């Protein structure tokens, strides 16, 4: 890789880290003296710099799609879809871009299309839990409860100490009517996430 490509990947990675903190761990940002709007603004800047350094790589475009999705409205979802599709035009089997595309499609209510997209990621042999967790949520929405439970259990085998994944498991199992196991996963999430749990689910689910 060239120095510009390495720098581009570094900026995209840092942008993704800021998105993760802003969306899931805002309390950690407070420790750093950064609020969520500023973190997302910096993530956009990093994504744009990554693209400028190496426009032929999908990583900067994928980071930009992810940060656009943080705006959480249909127009933003359409914009994120466009950016994610461009990333996949650059590298058609780039899994993070495909997951971003599936997320953008789901945000537009196109759950079936989102499922088809993440299905392609999994069929390629993804060893990361995120596609399975996403497919679990999509399958639950589509009424495939057994498939949703299988997917979230498979994701947990890959990352049993991931607190966010435990929250996903709690929601999937609650949706499947298994409230006992849902509470077990919720309790484990409390242990793993600590004070961040409140920012993620609010006071009602913590009680």
């Amino acid at each position: 890789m060239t120095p510009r490509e390495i720098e581009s990947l570094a900026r995209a990675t840092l942008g993704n880290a800021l998105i993760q903190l802003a969306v899931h761990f805002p309390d950690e940002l407070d420790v750093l003296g950064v609020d969520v709007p500023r973190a997302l603004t910096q993530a956009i800047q990093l994504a744009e710099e990554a693209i400028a350094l190496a426009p032929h790589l999908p990583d900067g475009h994928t980071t930009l799609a992810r940060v656009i999705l943080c705006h959480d409205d249909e127009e933003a979802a359409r914009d994120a879809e466009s950016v994610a599709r461009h990333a996949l035009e650059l590298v058609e089997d780039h899994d993070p871009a495909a997951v971003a595309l599936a997320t953008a499609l789901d945000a537009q209510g196109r759950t079936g299309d989102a499922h088809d997209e993440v299905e392609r990621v999994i069929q390629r042999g993804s060893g990361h839990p995120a596609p399975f967790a996403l497919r679990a949520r999509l399958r639950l929405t589509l009424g495939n409860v057994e498939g949703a439970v299988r997917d979230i259990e498979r994701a947990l085998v890959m990352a049993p100490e991931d607190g966010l994944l435990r929250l996903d498991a709690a929601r999937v199992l609650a949706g499947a009517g298994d409230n006992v196991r849902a509470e077990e996963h919720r309790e484990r999430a409390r242990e793993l996430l600590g004070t961040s749990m409140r920012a993620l689910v609010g006071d009602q689910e913590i009680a």
Side-chain angles (χ1 to χ4, degrees):
M1 298 187 72
T2 68
R4 287 179 66 87
E5 289 172 334
I6 293 171
E7 182 64 22
S8 174
L9 287 174
R11 290 173 187 267
T13 301
L14 182 55
N16 284 324
L18 283 172
I19 295 167
Q20 182 83 347
L21 287 170
V23 173
H24 298 300
F25 303 104
D27 287 348
E28 301 299 325
L29 285 175
D30 288 342
V31 173
L32 299 173
V34 179
D35 59 20
V36 169
R38 182 180 173 192
L40 293 177
T41 298
Q42 290 178 337
I44 291 173
Q45 181 178 343
L46 286 163
E48 291 174 342
E49 290 172 354
I51 293 168
L53 284 162
H56 59 287
L57 295 181
D59 304 85
H61 301 279
T62 302
T63 301
L64 183 58
R66 290 189 65 214
V67 74
I68 291 171
L69 281 167
C70 294
H71 290 286
D72 195 26
D73 61 62
E74 191 166 338
E75 183 178 357
R78 288 194 297 269
D79 290 343
E81 177 191 352
S82 177
V83 175
R85 288 192 185 280
H86 179 66
L88 288 168
E89 289 172 1
L90 297 172
V91 178
E92 65 179 359
D93 60 351
H94 187 68
D95 288 352
V99 170
L101 174 57
T103 304
L105 292 169
D106 185 46
Q108 297 173 65
R110 296 161 61 187
T111 307
D113 291 338
H115 179 274
D116 292 345
E117 192 62 45
V118 78
E119 179 74 18
R120 282 190 282 273
V121 174
I122 291 171
Q123 290 301 318
R124 285 197 292 266
S126 175
H128 194 278
F132 291 95
L134 176 55
R135 191 173 69 173
R137 297 193 298 271
L138 296 172
R139 281 180 161 178
L140 190 66
T141 300
L142 293 168
N144 183 355
V145 175
E146 291 183 2
V149 172
R150 284 197 304 271
D151 275 344
I152 202 64
E153 288 177 344
R154 187 168 179 182
L156 284 168
V157 168
M158 297 177 186
E161 301 302 305
D162 186 325
L164 296 175
L165 198 56
R166 291 285 177 173
L167 282 179
D168 279 336
R171 290 165 183 147
V172 169
L173 287 163
D178 191 340
N179 292 321
V180 173
R181 292 178 63 204
E183 181 54 36
E184 290 174 356
H185 286 299
R186 196 174 290 112
E187 181 59 35
R188 183 63 181 136
R190 290 188 189 97
E191 295 171 0
L192 292 167
L193 295 169
T195 57
S196 297
M197 181 85 167
R198 190 175 303 279
L200 289 165
V201 302
D203 294 336
Q204 184 174 359
E205 286 195 45
I206 288 179

